[in-house]
Amino acid sequence: MDKAVIAMAERTVVLHVGTHKTGTTSFQARLACNPVVLRARGVHYPEAGRFLYGQHNLAWELNDDVEQFEAARGTVADLLVELDEVQANAVVLSSEDFEYLYKRPDRLASLRQGLLEHGYASRIVLTVREPAGYLESLYRELVKHGMA
């Protein structure tokens, strides 16, 4: 990516890749429930692609997850329109399912390019958990859902 193009982007989108069982849902809920506080600080947490608390529908679209993606919940194109309307200094996108984009680097690059074209540089923040604690928590969650 041309550094001059990135420098032209005055605003930033933080793509929060909260891997499963790392407190991502709590983080998303705090963002979703506090739009006034965020707006006062120049931060926007988009509605486009939001399902429950996170932008899971965007992740499902980017990952070609046809079982879960529903265009009516908002698409990447809808997100870009929303960002043009809001003109926030900082935007946060968050979904546990962004973690699967490692299999689709072309989609991640396309999202990044789309954001740049709308004046936003992008930064990826990956939340991980210590492996033993992660496995224990994941196992409890699977048992809770009858998948022991």
Side-chain angles (χ1 to χ4, degrees):
M1 185 67 54
D2 184 356
K3 289 184 181 184
V5 172
I6 293 172
M8 290 185 335
E10 299 173 9
R11 300 165 292 173
T12 302
V13 170
V14 174
L15 182 68
H16 175 246
V17 183
T19 58
H20 290 84
K21 308 310 298 170
T22 59
T24 304
T25 302
S26 295
F27 175 69
Q28 294 161 353
R30 296 286 284 188
L31 291 170
C33 294
N34 291 288
V36 174
V37 173
L38 293 174
R39 191 173 21 248
R41 289 167 173 77
V43 178
H44 181 64
Y45 191 57
E47 291 288 334
R50 198 185 306 172
F51 177 71
L52 301 175
Y53 294 121
Q55 285 80 25
H56 307 304
N57 205 57
L58 299 180
W60 298 331
E61 176 186 11
L62 292 167
N63 283 304
D64 286 330
D65 186 339
V66 296
E67 291 181 19
Q68 297 188 84
F69 172 70
E70 292 183 22
R73 293 181 182 146
T75 64
V76 171
D78 296 329
L79 169 69
L80 296 174
V81 169
E82 182 177 337
L83 296 183
D84 284 344
E85 292 171 355
V86 172
Q87 297 288 315
N89 293 329
V91 174
V92 178
L93 301 175
S94 180
S95 175
E96 292 88 334
D97 288 339
F98 284 139
E99 75 177 285
Y100 302 117
L101 283 173
Y102 78 90
K103 296 185 252 183
R104 303 298 306 266
D106 57 318
R107 295 297 179 91
L108 194 53
S110 176
L111 174 62
R112 183 177 188 203
Q113 183 60 39
L115 292 169
L116 270 176
E117 290 170 4
H118 288 263
Y120 287 89
S122 56
R123 300 290 179 256
I124 296 174
V125 174
L126 176 65
T127 305
V128 294
R129 186 171 174 174
E130 180 270 323
Y134 171 79
L135 289 174
E136 185 178 322
S137 179
L138 179 62
Y139 177 76
R140 282 194 307 267
E141 187 73 17
L142 292 173
V143 168
K144 183 169 79 175
H145 294 285
M147 296 183 241

